[in-house]
Amino acid sequence: MTETLRIFVGVTLDLEAERGVIGKAIAELPVQTPIEIRRTPPLLPTHEEIFERIANCDRVYFLLGNDITAPAGLEWETAWRLERAVLPLRRSPRPTPAAQEFQRFSPRPWLDFRSATELARIVSLDVARLLQHPINRYGLTVPELERLEIYIRRLDQLQATLDKEPSGAEGGGVLLDSRPRSDK
């Protein structure tokens, strides 16, 4: 029987728009399989509501911005207590002391992303790999599995290209000499 891939997306308040990025990235996967994206109710969620939404998820994406905010902390704690598969992602160019302390106690390393495009690539690759379950829990056909494999290779190649892009002076630049000129 085909199962639904259940995903929970927890975010801090400054990254609320990234939920849409994740939804769009998942919608663009080259397969047709049921995927459910969950979140905490937006208005005054109870502990029970958060617990219910996370309890049987296959993956929890937790996005941390510059500060840890409610109810994100409770989502984080609940996901770990329920032993869900959490992928901690962060975009924290100016983290508050509370966010720094929160990051320090993560049981898994954080993956950094700098843009919506980078977040979409990370999540797309992760979801594609989840869909490649060894016993085909999600009922993908052979052509879908082949398309998924091509998609994963393309995303891996894109990442390899991004990793090799020159930075600093290797990428070109202008050097300015601040010394006074003596040819005057």
Side-chain angles (χ1 to χ4, degrees):
M1 184 172 151
T2 299
E3 294 181 35
T4 298
L5 176 61
R6 290 179 179 83
I7 295 169
F8 183 88
V9 180
V11 302
T12 54
L13 291 177
D14 55 340
L15 296 180
E16 186 65 40
E18 276 69 5
R19 285 185 203 275
V21 170
I22 290 175
K24 185 174 185 232
I26 290 171
E28 292 175 354
L29 289 168
V31 295
Q32 296 295 316
T33 189
I35 299 176
E36 181 182 334
I37 302 173
R38 298 176 177 182
R39 65 169 291 170
T40 295
L43 299 175
L44 302 173
T46 65
H47 183 271
E48 291 76 24
E49 289 172 318
I50 293 171
F51 182 93
E52 180 183 309
R53 304 271 168 100
I54 295 175
N56 66 342
C57 285
D58 301 293
R59 170 70 81 209
V60 173
Y61 295 109
F62 185 86
L63 282 64
L64 176 66
N66 287 320
D67 197 10
I68 185 65
T69 57
L74 182 56
E75 294 168 344
W76 173 266
E77 189 272 326
T78 301
W80 288 108
R81 192 166 31 91
L82 291 173
E83 298 179 354
R84 300 294 86 201
V86 178
L87 183 59
L89 302 160
R90 68 180 171 197
R91 187 178 74 200
S92 307
R94 293 175 304 284
T96 64
Q100 290 172 357
E101 192 69 7
F102 183 82
Q103 292 173 37
R104 200 166 66 86
F105 289 107
S106 175
R108 288 196 59 199
W110 291 88
L111 285 178
D112 292 309
F113 66 97
R114 293 178 300 271
S115 67
T117 302
E118 195 172 358
L119 174 62
R121 186 195 47 74
I122 291 167
V123 171
S124 294
L125 192 55
D126 185 63
V127 172
R129 288 186 173 137
L130 289 172
L131 291 172
Q132 288 183 314
H133 194 274
I135 60 169
N136 198 12
R137 286 176 52 187
Y138 307 108
L140 298 178
T141 64
V142 171
E144 285 177 316
L145 288 168
E146 289 170 350
R147 284 195 308 271
L148 201 57
E149 184 59 36
I150 292 167
Y151 185 75
I152 288 170
R153 277 193 304 245
R154 194 183 75 204
L155 288 175
D156 281 337
Q157 287 171 350
L158 176 63
Q159 181 57 44
T161 302
L162 293 173
D163 289 343
K164 289 181 182 178
E165 279 186 9
S167 61
E170 292 175 9
V174 176
L175 300 176
L176 301 175
D177 189 358
S178 61
R179 293 177 293 177
R181 291 178 48 174
S182 62
D183 62 339
K184 291 185 181 179

PDB file of all heavy atoms in Angstrom, residues 20-43:
ATOM      1  N   GLY A  20       6.703  28.784   2.177  1.00  0.00           N
ATOM      2  CA  GLY A  20       6.272  28.764   0.785  1.00  0.00           C
ATOM      3  C   GLY A  20       7.356  28.254  -0.150  1.00  0.00           C
ATOM      4  O   GLY A  20       7.078  27.560  -1.128  1.00  0.00           O
ATOM      5  N   VAL A  21       8.601  28.589   0.149  1.00  0.00           N
ATOM      6  CA  VAL A  21       9.735  28.114  -0.647  1.00  0.00           C
ATOM      7  C   VAL A  21       9.789  26.591  -0.589  1.00  0.00           C
ATOM      8  O   VAL A  21       9.966  25.918  -1.606  1.00  0.00           O
ATOM      9  CB  VAL A  21      11.067  28.726  -0.137  1.00  0.00           C
ATOM     10  CG1 VAL A  21      12.262  28.072  -0.785  1.00  0.00           C
ATOM     11  CG2 VAL A  21      11.068  30.232  -0.357  1.00  0.00           C
ATOM     12  N   ILE A  22       9.607  26.043   0.597  1.00  0.00           N
ATOM     13  CA  ILE A  22       9.641  24.590   0.764  1.00  0.00           C
ATOM     14  C   ILE A  22       8.471  23.945   0.025  1.00  0.00           C
ATOM     15  O   ILE A  22       8.649  22.949  -0.690  1.00  0.00           O
ATOM     16  CB  ILE A  22       9.645  24.220   2.264  1.00  0.00           C
ATOM     17  CG1 ILE A  22      10.998  24.603   2.869  1.00  0.00           C
ATOM     18  CG2 ILE A  22       9.343  22.741   2.462  1.00  0.00           C
ATOM     19  CD1 ILE A  22      11.095  24.415   4.365  1.00  0.00           C
ATOM     20  N   GLY A  23       7.285  24.504   0.148  1.00  0.00           N
ATOM     21  CA  GLY A  23       6.122  23.958  -0.560  1.00  0.00           C
ATOM     22  C   GLY A  23       6.316  23.951  -2.067  1.00  0.00           C
ATOM     23  O   GLY A  23       6.017  22.959  -2.749  1.00  0.00           O
ATOM     24  N   LYS A  24       6.843  25.038  -2.593  1.00  0.00           N
ATOM     25  CA  LYS A  24       7.070  25.137  -4.043  1.00  0.00           C
ATOM     26  C   LYS A  24       8.140  24.141  -4.492  1.00  0.00           C
ATOM     27  O   LYS A  24       7.995  23.487  -5.524  1.00  0.00           O
ATOM     28  CB  LYS A  24       7.489  26.556  -4.406  1.00  0.00           C
ATOM     29  CG  LYS A  24       7.621  26.782  -5.887  1.00  0.00           C
ATOM     30  CD  LYS A  24       7.893  28.230  -6.205  1.00  0.00           C
ATOM     31  CE  LYS A  24       7.892  28.395  -7.712  1.00  0.00           C
ATOM     32  NZ  LYS A  24       9.042  29.036  -8.227  1.00  0.00           N
ATOM     33  N   ALA A  25       9.203  24.007  -3.714  1.00  0.00           N
ATOM     34  CA  ALA A  25      10.273  23.063  -4.059  1.00  0.00           C
ATOM     35  C   ALA A  25       9.740  21.634  -4.117  1.00  0.00           C
ATOM     36  O   ALA A  25      10.059  20.876  -5.039  1.00  0.00           O
ATOM     37  CB  ALA A  25      11.414  23.166  -3.048  1.00  0.00           C
ATOM     38  N   ILE A  26       8.901  21.275  -3.172  1.00  0.00           N
ATOM     39  CA  ILE A  26       8.339  19.924  -3.144  1.00  0.00           C
ATOM     40  C   ILE A  26       7.374  19.719  -4.306  1.00  0.00           C
ATOM     41  O   ILE A  26       7.354  18.663  -4.934  1.00  0.00           O
ATOM     42  CB  ILE A  26       7.673  19.654  -1.777  1.00  0.00           C
ATOM     43  CG1 ILE A  26       8.766  19.550  -0.699  1.00  0.00           C
ATOM     44  CG2 ILE A  26       6.820  18.393  -1.822  1.00  0.00           C
ATOM     45  CD1 ILE A  26       8.265  19.492   0.708  1.00  0.00           C
ATOM     46  N   ALA A  27       6.601  20.744  -4.633  1.00  0.00           N
ATOM     47  CA  ALA A  27       5.657  20.641  -5.751  1.00  0.00           C
ATOM     48  C   ALA A  27       6.373  20.439  -7.089  1.00  0.00           C
ATOM     49  O   ALA A  27       5.801  19.874  -8.018  1.00  0.00           O
ATOM     50  CB  ALA A  27       4.787  21.891  -5.811  1.00  0.00           C
ATOM     51  N   GLU A  28       7.617  20.879  -7.186  1.00  0.00           N
ATOM     52  CA  GLU A  28       8.363  20.766  -8.439  1.00  0.00           C
ATOM     53  C   GLU A  28       9.123  19.453  -8.588  1.00  0.00           C
ATOM     54  O   GLU A  28       9.826  19.255  -9.573  1.00  0.00           O
ATOM     55  CB  GLU A  28       9.321  21.956  -8.576  1.00  0.00           C
ATOM     56  CG  GLU A  28       8.580  23.258  -8.782  1.00  0.00           C
ATOM     57  CD  GLU A  28       9.477  24.485  -8.808  1.00  0.00           C
ATOM     58  OE1 GLU A  28      10.699  24.351  -8.555  1.00  0.00           O
ATOM     59  OE2 GLU A  28       8.946  25.563  -9.078  1.00  0.00           O
ATOM     60  N   LEU A  29       8.989  18.551  -7.627  1.00  0.00           N
ATOM     61  CA  LEU A  29       9.640  17.244  -7.760  1.00  0.00           C
ATOM     62  C   LEU A  29       9.070  16.511  -8.969  1.00  0.00           C
ATOM     63  O   LEU A  29       7.876  16.649  -9.276  1.00  0.00           O
ATOM     64  CB  LEU A  29       9.436  16.413  -6.489  1.00  0.00           C
ATOM     65  CG  LEU A  29      10.203  16.878  -5.263  1.00  0.00           C
ATOM     66  CD1 LEU A  29       9.700  16.166  -4.018  1.00  0.00           C
ATOM     67  CD2 LEU A  29      11.685  16.639  -5.437  1.00  0.00           C
ATOM     68  N   PRO A  30       9.876  15.702  -9.660  1.00  0.00           N
ATOM     69  CA  PRO A  30       9.433  15.059 -10.899  1.00  0.00           C
ATOM     70  C   PRO A  30       8.620  13.784 -10.697  1.00  0.00           C
ATOM     71  O   PRO A  30       8.666  12.874 -11.527  1.00  0.00           O
ATOM     72  CB  PRO A  30      10.759  14.764 -11.609  1.00  0.00           C
ATOM     73  CG  PRO A  30      11.703  14.486 -10.502  1.00  0.00           C
ATOM     74  CD  PRO A  30      11.301  15.448  -9.400  1.00  0.00           C
ATOM     75  N   VAL A  31       7.870  13.691  -9.612  1.00  0.00           N
ATOM     76  CA  VAL A  31       7.055  12.507  -9.334  1.00  0.00           C
ATOM     77  C   VAL A  31       5.676  12.936  -8.837  1.00  0.00           C
ATOM     78  O   VAL A  31       5.504  14.053  -8.340  1.00  0.00           O
ATOM     79  CB  VAL A  31       7.721  11.601  -8.277  1.00  0.00           C
ATOM     80  CG1 VAL A  31       9.022  11.019  -8.802  1.00  0.00           C
ATOM     81  CG2 VAL A  31       7.956  12.323  -6.978  1.00  0.00           C
ATOM     82  N   GLN A  32       4.735  12.017  -8.960  1.00  0.00           N
ATOM     83  CA  GLN A  32       3.381  12.256  -8.466  1.00  0.00           C
ATOM     84  C   GLN A  32       3.130  11.282  -7.320  1.00  0.00           C
ATOM     85  O   GLN A  32       2.798  10.124  -7.545  1.00  0.00           O
ATOM     86  CB  GLN A  32       2.351  12.035  -9.581  1.00  0.00           C
ATOM     87  CG  GLN A  32       2.479  12.990 -10.735  1.00  0.00           C
ATOM     88  CD  GLN A  32       2.181  14.415 -10.307  1.00  0.00           C
ATOM     89  OE1 GLN A  32       1.226  14.671  -9.581  1.00  0.00           O
ATOM     90  NE2 GLN A  32       3.007  15.347 -10.740  1.00  0.00           N
ATOM     91  N   THR A  33       3.320  11.744  -6.122  1.00  0.00           N
ATOM     92  CA  THR A  33       3.085  10.919  -4.945  1.00  0.00           C
ATOM     93  C   THR A  33       2.524  11.808  -3.847  1.00  0.00           C
ATOM     94  O   THR A  33       2.829  13.002  -3.802  1.00  0.00           O
ATOM     95  CB  THR A  33       4.389  10.212  -4.493  1.00  0.00           C
ATOM     96  OG1 THR A  33       4.077   9.257  -3.489  1.00  0.00           O
ATOM     97  CG2 THR A  33       5.402  11.192  -3.974  1.00  0.00           C
ATOM     98  N   PRO A  34       1.696  11.259  -2.995  1.00  0.00           N
ATOM     99  CA  PRO A  34       1.127  12.094  -1.930  1.00  0.00           C
ATOM    100  C   PRO A  34       2.189  12.551  -0.923  1.00  0.00           C
ATOM    101  O   PRO A  34       2.903  11.732  -0.360  1.00  0.00           O
ATOM    102  CB  PRO A  34       0.100  11.187  -1.253  1.00  0.00           C
ATOM    103  CG  PRO A  34       0.067   9.917  -1.998  1.00  0.00           C
ATOM    104  CD  PRO A  34       1.170   9.902  -2.986  1.00  0.00           C
ATOM    105  N   ILE A  35       2.277  13.854  -0.753  1.00  0.00           N
ATOM    106  CA  ILE A  35       3.167  14.452   0.241  1.00  0.00           C
ATOM    107  C   ILE A  35       2.343  15.468   1.023  1.00  0.00           C
ATOM    108  O   ILE A  35       1.725  16.348   0.443  1.00  0.00           O
ATOM    109  CB  ILE A  35       4.389  15.141  -0.409  1.00  0.00           C
ATOM    110  CG1 ILE A  35       5.211  14.120  -1.193  1.00  0.00           C
ATOM    111  CG2 ILE A  35       5.233  15.835   0.656  1.00  0.00           C
ATOM    112  CD1 ILE A  35       6.388  14.715  -1.947  1.00  0.00           C
ATOM    113  N   GLU A  36       2.338  15.323   2.314  1.00  0.00           N
ATOM    114  CA  GLU A  36       1.590  16.222   3.199  1.00  0.00           C
ATOM    115  C   GLU A  36       2.572  17.104   3.948  1.00  0.00           C
ATOM    116  O   GLU A  36       3.504  16.606   4.566  1.00  0.00           O
ATOM    117  CB  GLU A  36       0.772  15.384   4.184  1.00  0.00           C
ATOM    118  CG  GLU A  36      -0.059  16.187   5.149  1.00  0.00           C
ATOM    119  CD  GLU A  36      -0.794  15.279   6.130  1.00  0.00           C
ATOM    120  OE1 GLU A  36      -1.074  14.113   5.807  1.00  0.00           O
ATOM    121  OE2 GLU A  36      -1.076  15.769   7.236  1.00  0.00           O
ATOM    122  N   ILE A  37       2.363  18.416   3.858  1.00  0.00           N
ATOM    123  CA  ILE A  37       3.216  19.369   4.567  1.00  0.00           C
ATOM    124  C   ILE A  37       2.401  19.950   5.723  1.00  0.00           C
ATOM    125  O   ILE A  37       1.338  20.529   5.510  1.00  0.00           O
ATOM    126  CB  ILE A  37       3.708  20.488   3.629  1.00  0.00           C
ATOM    127  CG1 ILE A  37       4.471  19.883   2.451  1.00  0.00           C
ATOM    128  CG2 ILE A  37       4.579  21.474   4.400  1.00  0.00           C
ATOM    129  CD1 ILE A  37       4.862  20.885   1.390  1.00  0.00           C
ATOM    130  N   ARG A  38       2.930  19.792   6.909  1.00  0.00           N
ATOM    131  CA  ARG A  38       2.226  20.254   8.107  1.00  0.00           C
ATOM    132  C   ARG A  38       2.953  21.427   8.742  1.00  0.00           C
ATOM    133  O   ARG A  38       4.130  21.626   8.546  1.00  0.00           O
ATOM    134  CB  ARG A  38       2.150  19.120   9.134  1.00  0.00           C
ATOM    135  CG  ARG A  38       1.391  17.927   8.656  1.00  0.00           C
ATOM    136  CD  ARG A  38       1.456  16.848   9.687  1.00  0.00           C
ATOM    137  NE  ARG A  38       0.667  15.693   9.287  1.00  0.00           N
ATOM    138  CZ  ARG A  38       0.514  14.614  10.017  1.00  0.00           C
ATOM    139  NH1 ARG A  38       1.118  14.534  11.194  1.00  0.00           N
ATOM    140  NH2 ARG A  38      -0.204  13.616   9.587  1.00  0.00           N
ATOM    141  N   ARG A  39       2.198  22.147   9.550  1.00  0.00           N
ATOM    142  CA  ARG A  39       2.747  23.248  10.334  1.00  0.00           C
ATOM    143  C   ARG A  39       1.914  23.417  11.591  1.00  0.00           C
ATOM    144  O   ARG A  39       0.814  22.875  11.697  1.00  0.00           O
ATOM    145  CB  ARG A  39       2.745  24.540   9.531  1.00  0.00           C
ATOM    146  CG  ARG A  39       1.334  25.018   9.202  1.00  0.00           C
ATOM    147  CD  ARG A  39       1.262  26.387   8.644  1.00  0.00           C
ATOM    148  NE  ARG A  39       1.617  27.346   9.656  1.00  0.00           N
ATOM    149  CZ  ARG A  39       1.838  28.624   9.432  1.00  0.00           C
ATOM    150  NH1 ARG A  39       1.732  29.099   8.225  1.00  0.00           N
ATOM    151  NH2 ARG A  39       2.156  29.444  10.399  1.00  0.00           N
ATOM    152  N   THR A  40       2.438  24.182  12.515  1.00  0.00           N
ATOM    153  CA  THR A  40       1.692  24.521  13.723  1.00  0.00           C
ATOM    154  C   THR A  40       0.598  25.501  13.353  1.00  0.00           C
ATOM    155  O   THR A  40       0.819  26.387  12.519  1.00  0.00           O
ATOM    156  CB  THR A  40       2.651  25.162  14.751  1.00  0.00           C
ATOM    157  OG1 THR A  40       3.599  24.174  15.137  1.00  0.00           O
ATOM    158  CG2 THR A  40       1.927  25.653  15.970  1.00  0.00           C
ATOM    159  N   PRO A  41      -0.588  25.386  13.959  1.00  0.00           N
ATOM    160  CA  PRO A  41      -1.620  26.392  13.703  1.00  0.00           C
ATOM    161  C   PRO A  41      -1.080  27.783  14.025  1.00  0.00           C
ATOM    162  O   PRO A  41      -0.369  27.973  15.013  1.00  0.00           O
ATOM    163  CB  PRO A  41      -2.751  26.013  14.664  1.00  0.00           C
ATOM    164  CG  PRO A  41      -2.508  24.583  15.001  1.00  0.00           C
ATOM    165  CD  PRO A  41      -1.032  24.371  14.905  1.00  0.00           C
ATOM    166  N   PRO A  42      -1.393  28.780  13.183  1.00  0.00           N
ATOM    167  CA  PRO A  42      -0.789  30.101  13.349  1.00  0.00           C
ATOM    168  C   PRO A  42      -1.222  30.881  14.592  1.00  0.00           C
ATOM    169  O   PRO A  42      -0.475  31.715  15.073  1.00  0.00           O
ATOM    170  CB  PRO A  42      -1.188  30.849  12.077  1.00  0.00           C
ATOM    171  CG  PRO A  42      -2.304  30.079  11.480  1.00  0.00           C
ATOM    172  CD  PRO A  42      -2.221  28.683  11.995  1.00  0.00           C
ATOM    173  N   LEU A  43      -2.406  30.623  15.126  1.00  0.00           N
ATOM    174  CA  LEU A  43      -2.879  31.418  16.258  1.00  0.00           C
ATOM    175  C   LEU A  43      -2.911  30.617  17.549  1.00  0.00           C
ATOM    176  O   LEU A  43      -3.694  29.689  17.705  1.00  0.00           O
ATOM    177  CB  LEU A  43      -4.278  31.978  15.976  1.00  0.00           C
ATOM    178  CG  LEU A  43      -4.378  32.912  14.771  1.00  0.00           C
ATOM    179  CD1 LEU A  43      -5.824  33.297  14.529  1.00  0.00           C
ATOM    180  CD2 LEU A  43      -3.521  34.145  14.990  1.00  0.00           C
TER     181      LEU A  43
END
